[in-house]
Amino acid sequence: MGSMTIAKGINNGLRAAMERDPKVVLMGEDIGKLGGVFRVTDGLQKDFGEDRVIDTPLAEAGIVGTAIGMALRGYRPVVEIQFDGFIYPAFDHIVSQVAKMRARSLGKIKLPMVIRIPVGGGIGAVEHHSESNEAYFAHTAGLKVVCCSNAEDAYWMIQQAIESDDPVLFYEPKRRYWDKGEVDESAAPRPLLKAQVCREGTDLTLVAYGPMVKTCLQAAEAAAAEGKNLEVIDLRTLSPLDLDTVAASVEKTGRTVIVHEASTFLGMGAEIAAALQQRCFYHLEAPVLRVGGYNLPYPPSKLEEEFLPDLDRVLDAVDRSLAF
Amino acid sequence: MSDNAVASSGSTAGTSPAEDEVLAELTAPVPEVGDGGPEMIQLLTPEGQRVENTEYDEYVKDLTDEDLRGFYRDLVLIRRVDAEATALQRQGELGIWASLLGQEAAQVGSGRAMRPQDYAFPTYREHGVAWCRGVNPLNLLGLFRGVNHGGWDPNEKNFHLYTIVIGAQTLHATGYAMGIQRDGDVGTGDADRDAAVIAYFGDGATAQGDVNESFVYAAVNNAPVVFFCQNNQWAISEPNERQTRIPLYQRARGFGFPGVRVDGNDVLAVYAVTQQALNAARSGNGPTFIEAYTYRMGAHTTSDDPTKYRVSAEVEVWKHRDPIERLKSYLVHTQKADQAFFDALEKEGDELAVAVREGCLSMPDPTPDSMFDHIYVEEHPVVEAERKEFAAYHAGFEGEGSH
């Protein structure tokens, strides 16, 4: 039991997975000596060597493409993409090869690999460093997509993703990397593919994942001061979606607001809203509302506070739902 | 029947060509057809004469007459399979077929240079390599018939699934080779242990970022991979000069490993050059780029019409460089094979063609609900929910049409 940051949680989780299974290898740009630009892999090359913590050339298609080959040879590569906006050169390999290889072989081979992606904005970065592109990959059959929001999940979920025999895209909320939380390394972990009710409530369900979980918890806290009792769900897994947990909550509260940094147009919220109106039609007291990024290229950082959902925008949607 | 002949007859069917069109064809300059240049490694001339080569002779010196007849058998039988597949496509039994016609020696020479523990990463045209690895040709036909996307177990014969996205497999091959390094299966001196990978691709693929990235990754990792480029002169309709300003094999130098051009229609030379490259890779000396200089005698696929972009005079030049004829000539004039051998082989080819045809026609269609299989290793709620919906939808039609 100890308090650690999300970045350290992932670091410790990677270390545990590497100690357990010699086939686990890390690949990425600057992940060795430097420990990654966010220091998530800090110290791992020193302890596990250059053959298992591989500093790659600066070419993302090459990283994912060679990781596929390593997986075919029996390794479990964990790939780091330095920033969300740099995943696109590897998009073809992820969508055309990683996702489809098992079906192509009629189940004769598997491709256990993890692609780690620091995601989202709020760090005052230049273009391409603040994107939320999870819906592209959640849309692609053959991939699993998960996103941690706290240190404990960071520690456990990265290990579970590595143990999965299916390829997993592992999103890390970069602006929360340095948020601390308690991690019990001896406790039994929650299942990887389950959502988590992280605050119980009766009036409305806030659904979020990654960086927006903290925002929603703060919103629920503020709403409580006004006598509104909000439930907050951390989705944790985006593909597959744990709709059972979300639907059970919405059937209880009758109202829901879905919050993410990604543009709302065809984002995760669109799928969740469609599913909820099918599953919870007679329980809904108000339309399903979404709060997210606008349908724009991510703006210059001086404007990102206007672009990203914050406490006030979440509470505004909560008020609109409750007033319906 | 070649695709070319089909396409030619198709393009002139109906109306007779105008006089000026005929004149234009007759007076068109014969294109300059490259011969590979003086740097190209050749051990058999197109006429089947053995050319001595101090560097590469040692790689073929232990080949017995039986080995040479075996090469010839491979060339003839895979061409026969290819012709049968083309015919099956014309008869509507395959959706499409990518013919290897003309490239048999490049594939058989390199395929036979591999050891069992080596691994091949093919494009979608490596039927000859598949043959050498012992992959059933019907597996290849299944993909083109549309019953699956490949479906064979790559680890059974160390022959990866066909990759259709151009060049992507070169990175997979390089990663696999990096895995071999980490397994310690390089440079041990144990001939049954040391392993290497061959990545196949074409001249068109050399423009792809993936291929260039794979060169970088292989070079900096000193990975045991051989990059085997079949330069068949055409990337569908784009000739070499639209792909490169220097001979392809010379590119390797810029990446930091050796490149060699070999006569891709000379099975002996390809075998020798690939042996050398594989030996280097297995012993820890890193990658080699091989440019097998050859020609795509047929169309890109059965959907293509090469008469739209290349002249028949060029094809005629390459007919004289045929990989099978030159080996036959060599076997005959050195008396390494007799007429009985050729007769028996023809009979074997006929029987193989019948088996391929019958196997293709009797291939079962996949059951409709099988499309929900093997998307994930672990059970997936969306897949399972849709599988049930699909079954329920079809169950709703049961009994209909019976009265």
Side-chain angles (χ1 to χ4, degrees), chain B residues 42-62:
Chain B
Q42 187 182 69
L43 299 181
L44 278 183
T45 66
E47 294 74 33
Q49 297 297 318
R50 182 74 167 77
V51 184
E52 284 193 11
N53 185 301
T54 50
E55 186 175 359
Y56 291 99
D57 280 350
E58 66 165 303
Y59 296 100
V60 295
K61 71 179 186 325
D62 293 331

Side-chain angles (χ1 to χ4, degrees), chain B residues 194-277:
Chain B
D194 290 341
V197 181
I198 301 189
Y200 287 92
F201 54 101
D203 46 294
T206 60
Q208 284 280 7
D210 279 3
V211 174
N212 288 276
E213 289 186 23
S214 73
F215 293 169
V216 171
Y217 276 70
V220 299
N221 286 286
N222 202 38
V225 57
V226 174
F227 294 107
F228 194 93
C229 174
Q230 288 167 81
N231 178 358
N232 70 12
Q233 314 298 325
W234 291 94
I236 306 190
S237 69
E238 307 265 10
N240 263 201
E241 58 263 30
R242 305 296 305 166
Q243 313 289 344
T244 185
R245 284 295 187 185
I246 60 164
L248 292 172
Y249 72 97
Q250 291 181 9
R251 284 198 186 162
R253 184 177 164 78
F255 290 93
F257 50 88
V260 57
R261 176 178 277 183
V262 62
D263 185 336
N265 286 13
D266 172 358
V267 70
L268 280 190
V270 174
Y271 178 79
V273 166
T274 312
Q275 282 274 0
Q276 185 193 50

